[in-house]
Each structure stands twice: as structure tokens, then as C-alpha cells.
Amino acid sequence: MAMQADLKTYKDKIYPRVFLIDELKLVLEDEADFPIHRLWLKDLALGYVIDRGDKFTFISKCHLGDEMTAEEMMELAMNNFVRDFEFKIVQTIFGCYELEGEPDHCATAIFVAPIWEKVAAHFGKDLVVAFPSYDLVFMTAADDAEGISNLKMELYKIQGMGIEKRLREYLFLFKSEEKAWSFLEDMEEEELF
């Protein structure tokens, strides 16, 4: 199978990838082609892709063959991600923080434990986090009411900008002590004024 050969050829370019499960279901008609994934919160899932430079190819069970299990592929993808991508925390002009790094992979960074643990350790407290696109991850301290208000306003502005590689205007809470995520609210459904 051609994809199995690609898994060998591109072994160092297999990465985790966050995606909207409902949008991918609309594109893929055959369930056998649906990516290996694990559901996260709301309609977000974490899958695995081959990064070919100009496009991403999602990996499904039928692509694995006998060479690799789904668990081995997940471990390989996470290790590749940690090895290849660096992120830094920068302050935004709207009074929050942004995770800056490889554009197509910023949102996925929150799913990669070693990277997100560094981010959480930097703040040392619970965080409210938004990732409205693959390129954008914003955060503020969960006890910073002004920061949360600023974050909501920025998400509201982004809704009208028509940015590429959209995800959703969701807010999530990361509890640093428990290292646990929960859904807070959907900014598309909320009235700001």
C-alpha cells in the first residue's frame, strides 16, 4: 500500500494534529479513511498527519498495516513534535499572552504534554486558553478578569476577520495543579454586548 511506504519514508515528519471532527466527517465519505484520533473536548480531536511540506495527510488505521500500531505511531508523532518545534510565550498588544512558534502547529502544542507543561509552569496558575486557528493560541491567568475580558474581545474581533485555518472561538480552562482541561464557553454563541 502506498501510504504504508509513505509512513516509512516520512517517519520523521509524522506529527499530531488538532482538527474539527465534524468538518472532517463532511469531507471523508469512507469510514476506513477517517483518521486515527482521540476525541478531546467539544468537537475537537487529536489526529496524526504526515507533513509533506505543502500539505498534511491524515493517517487512518488502514494506512498503518503491520509495521506500526496506533500507539507506536502516537508516540512517534509526539516525539517528532517535541524534537522539531519550539514555542515561546509572548505578551500580546491586547494584554494577554500568545504561544508563538511554527504557525501550522501552534494549536496542536497544547496537546503535547512536555510543551504544555513548560507553558503551565511559566505561569504557575490556572489558565484560560483559546485557539481560534491552527496559528493562534492565546491565554491569560484564570484569576485575571480583565485579561479574560480582553481575550473575549480579541476572539470577537477575529470572528469578522476571515482568517485562514480556522478552528473555533472556544474558551478552555487549564487547571495547572491537576493538569486537566475543561470547556468554558463558545464565543460564537455568546452575546458580548
Side-chain angles (χ1 to χ4, degrees):
M1 195 176 221
M3 187 63 169
Q4 290 174 9
D6 283 354
L7 288 178
K8 290 178 186 175
T9 302
Y10 291 97
K11 185 177 178 184
D12 290 339
K13 292 295 185 179
I14 295 174
Y15 301 114
R17 178 83 168 168
V18 63
F19 68 95
L20 295 166
I21 200 152
D22 293 338
E23 285 186 5
L24 204 54
K25 281 182 179 176
L26 292 175
V27 176
L28 297 173
E29 294 175 15
D30 186 356
E31 245 181 75
D33 290 334
F34 205 76
I36 296 168
H37 68 282
R38 63 176 196 227
L39 291 174
W40 192 59
L41 295 171
K42 292 293 277 183
D43 56 351
L44 294 162
L46 185 67
Y48 304 95
V49 296
I50 295 175
D51 182 349
R52 298 175 187 274
D54 59 341
K55 68 178 181 175
F56 293 106
T57 303
F58 278 97
I59 299 169
S60 67
K61 283 187 179 179
C62 67
H63 298 133
L64 290 180
D66 298 331
E67 298 297 317
M68 190 182 305
T69 66
E71 292 77 25
E72 290 169 335
M73 198 247 335
M74 179 180 73
E75 184 179 343
L76 173 69
M78 294 295 185
N79 290 338
N80 287 348
F81 195 95
V82 170
R83 179 196 67 218
D84 291 348
F85 304 119
E86 290 186 27
F87 299 89
K88 62 182 178 177
I89 300 164
V90 296
Q91 190 152 18
T92 66
I93 59 171
F94 57 90
C96 294
Y97 295 88
E98 180 176 359
L99 188 62
E100 190 176 86
E102 183 65 32
D104 277 328
H105 298 285
C106 285
T108 300
I110 71 163
F111 295 92
V112 180
I115 292 172
W116 192 253
E117 286 168 8
K118 287 180 187 175
V119 171
H122 174 83
F123 290 96
K125 54 174 66 178
D126 297 348
L127 298 171
V128 173
V129 180
F131 45 102
S133 79
Y134 290 101
D135 302 347
L136 299 172
V137 175
F138 300 126
M139 66 205 90
T140 191
D143 61 359
D144 181 358
E146 183 179 349
I148 293 169
S149 179
N150 291 343
L151 181 56
K152 288 179 178 184
M153 284 304 299
E154 189 64 19
L155 292 177
Y156 178 74
K157 289 178 195 173
I158 287 172
Q159 286 178 9
M161 295 173 100
I163 61 172
E164 291 184 29
K165 303 175 192 170
R166 289 288 300 261
L167 287 168
R168 297 275 195 261
E169 280 82 22
Y170 295 154
L171 290 180
F172 298 97
L173 176 65
F174 179 76
K175 302 286 276 179
S176 62
E177 199 169 300
E178 296 90 358
K179 297 181 179 158
W181 289 93
S182 60
F183 174 75
L184 281 182
E185 59 189 292
D186 183 347
M187 297 305 299
E188 291 178 350
E189 294 175 356
E190 180 178 290
E191 288 293 325
L192 293 177
F193 303 102

